[in-house]
Amino acid sequence: QKEVEQDPGPLSVPEGAIVSLNCTYSNSAFQYFMWYRQYSRKGPELLMYTYSSGNKEDGRFTAQVDKSSKYISLFIRDSQPSDSATYLCAMSSGNTPLVFGKGTRLSVIA
Amino acid sequence: ETGVTQSPTHLIKTRGQQVTLRCSSQSGHNTVSWYQQALGQGPQFIFQYYREEENGRGNFPPRFSGLQFPNYSSELNVNALELDDSALYLCASSIGMMTGANVLTFGAGSRLTVL
């Protein structure tokens, strides 16, 4: 079993839809959870950062962490064509390097 | 404030050759991490450099080596290239040693093709 599992998609949604992206993990020591967005031919850029369980909201983006279920989510409201990218979840226990999921490729169709 | 810059952006090598990839960290950042991202996969940690010393290494063979310079820039060297080394090599800079609170700032990567 991989430490971090993420459905690679691709996921295609119409503009304005609510997008839900998810990752599961097996390492209960993970405390720091992040979502990175990666456009084609670019490096990943940090989108959301959460410590331990709970929700965090930033504009159209909401990150949720459920440590009891070892499950994290990223919601995108009112999705835009500019949101089309690969979304990578990443996590760490604190003194270990980030472990990334495979990434989910999202296309938002105008 | 400049971001993380990597060079070259693309390169093609043949099996058995050696390659050096370069990275300039973001202004104010003193730690550099290198990741390998194969096609369709997430980035995999190769190693991290802090104060010019290797500080943590992933599951990569010794033919993957690195350096960090006093100005915090870094090099990744790969010897005896194999076909499976074809990937996007990402450099990320941050502040301080490896902790979960560190936010990584990534460069655009160097895409290596091994024929």
Side-chain angles (χ1 to χ4, degrees), chain B residues 28-40:
Chain B
H29 287 188
N30 57 11
T31 302
V32 171
S33 303
W34 286 92
Y35 284 79
Q36 181 196 64
Q37 187 176 24
L39 197 61

Side-chain angles (χ1 to χ4, degrees), chain B residues 15-79:
Chain B
R15 267 186 309 176
Q17 284 188 312
Q18 177 265 344
V19 69
T20 297
L21 308 177
R22 296 179 174 82
C23 171
S24 293
S25 59
Q26 179 168 307
S27 176
H29 287 188
N30 57 11
T31 302
V32 171
S33 303
W34 286 92
Y35 284 79
Q36 181 196 64
Q37 187 176 24
L39 197 61
Q41 303 294 316
Q44 298 238 323
F45 176 72
I46 302 175
F47 42 55
Q48 183 184 77
Y49 277 83
Y50 173 71
R51 291 187 175 175
E52 301 178 51
E53 291 196 2
E54 187 179 291
N55 171 47
R57 187 179 185 93
N59 189 25
F60 282 82
R63 58 190 186 84
F64 285 77
S65 63
L67 284 172
Q68 186 180 32
F69 300 100
N71 67 353
Y72 308 126
S73 67
S74 177
E75 284 182 358
L76 165 65
N77 299 291
V78 187
N79 292 323

Side-chain angles (χ1 to χ4, degrees), chain A residues 2-12 19-25 35 71-74 85-89 91 100-107, chain B residues 40-42:
Chain A
K2 284 203 157 194
E3 271 194 300
V4 179
E5 300 274 6
Q6 183 176 11
D7 186 339
L11 181 62
S12 185
V19 176
S20 171
L21 304 168
N22 312 293
C23 288
T24 59
Y25 62 95
W35 287 94
Y71 187 87
I72 71 170
S73 301
L74 177 71
T86 295
Y87 289 80
L88 297 152
C89 63
M91 43 200 84
F100 283 85
K102 276 188 174 184
T104 300
R105 194 161 53 141
L106 171 67
S107 293
Chain B
Q41 303 294 316

Side-chain angles (χ1 to χ4, degrees), chain A residues 6 21 26 40-41 48 59 63 66 81-82 87 92-93 102 109:
Chain A
Q6 183 176 11
L21 304 168
S26 58
S40 181
R41 303 185 189 284
M48 298 288 282
D66 181 350
S82 59
Y87 289 80
S92 165
S93 65
K102 276 188 174 184
I109 311 300

Side-chain angles (χ1 to χ4, degrees), chain A residues 3-68:
Chain A
E3 271 194 300
V4 179
E5 300 274 6
Q6 183 176 11
D7 186 339
L11 181 62
S12 185
V13 301
E15 183 176 357
I18 296 175
V19 176
S20 171
L21 304 168
N22 312 293
C23 288
T24 59
Y25 62 95
S26 58
N27 188 343
S28 57
F30 286 149
Q31 297 276 1
Y32 299 87
F33 303 92
M34 298 163 204
W35 287 94
Y36 280 82
R37 178 174 61 194
Q38 186 174 24
Y39 289 113
S40 181
R41 303 185 189 284
K42 300 285 188 183
E45 58 175 331
L46 182 66
L47 204 56
M48 298 288 282
Y49 173 99
T50 311
Y51 171 69
S52 195
S53 282
N55 294 358
K56 186 171 184 178
E57 189 173 319
D58 183 2
R60 297 184 296 110
F61 299 89
T62 300
Q64 288 186 352
V65 175
D66 181 350
K67 289 189 69 182
S68 62

